[in-house]
Amino acid sequence: MGAVPNASRLRWQRDAHKALGGLLKLNDLPVITWTIPVSGALVGDVDTLTSTPAEMRAAFDAWGRQLGAAVTPERTSSDGAIHLYGKFRLDVGYGVGGAIRATIYPPFEDGDV
């Protein structure tokens, strides 16, 4: 399989940009961080700095429902962080695939920062 032409990568990113524009019109959903990598995927990350664990889970669930995401079972890493992940596909252009993610960290103990 040969290298992917630059024009194809740019088209994928334009499709993802168009899909993101549609998603940002949905005013009733929590604000999350969106990125468009070189692959043209659309990646949504729930904020870890200004949200409580309950707010993070609620944001992930709301976006997962809106996107029709196939959510994988949550997993807990050895440091106690809970990882949430779901994949979705939007019918924009040639189709835009993507993921929504959240990492919910346990509270600090003994006032550690």
Side-chain angles (χ1 to χ4, degrees):
M1 185 176 230
V4 177
N6 194 50
S8 294
R9 292 181 193 271
L10 291 171
R11 187 190 73 235
W12 299 340
Q13 286 188 322
R14 283 192 300 272
D15 287 348
H17 184 264
K18 182 177 178 181
L20 180 57
L23 293 175
L24 293 178
K25 292 178 183 177
L26 303 172
N27 293 324
D28 58 339
L29 290 165
V31 175
I32 63 174
T33 300
W34 291 100
T35 56
I36 301 173
V38 174
S39 67
L42 194 54
V43 181
D45 287 297
V46 177
D47 184 48
T48 60
L49 297 177
T50 62
S51 301
T52 67
E55 291 168 335
M56 291 178 67
R57 189 175 292 277
F60 178 86
D61 290 344
W63 275 105
R65 282 190 305 276
Q66 177 65 42
L67 296 166
V71 177
T72 61
E74 68 181 53
R75 61 182 181 80
T76 304
S77 56
S78 60
D79 64 357
I82 298 169
H83 302 274
L84 307 175
Y85 181 83
K87 296 188 302 185
F88 61 88
R89 186 142 189 92
L90 302 173
D91 189 23
V92 175
Y94 288 91
V96 175
I100 181 167
R101 310 179 293 195
T103 302
I104 303 171
Y105 296 95
F108 292 117
E109 295 180 21
D110 299 329
D112 292 341
V113 178

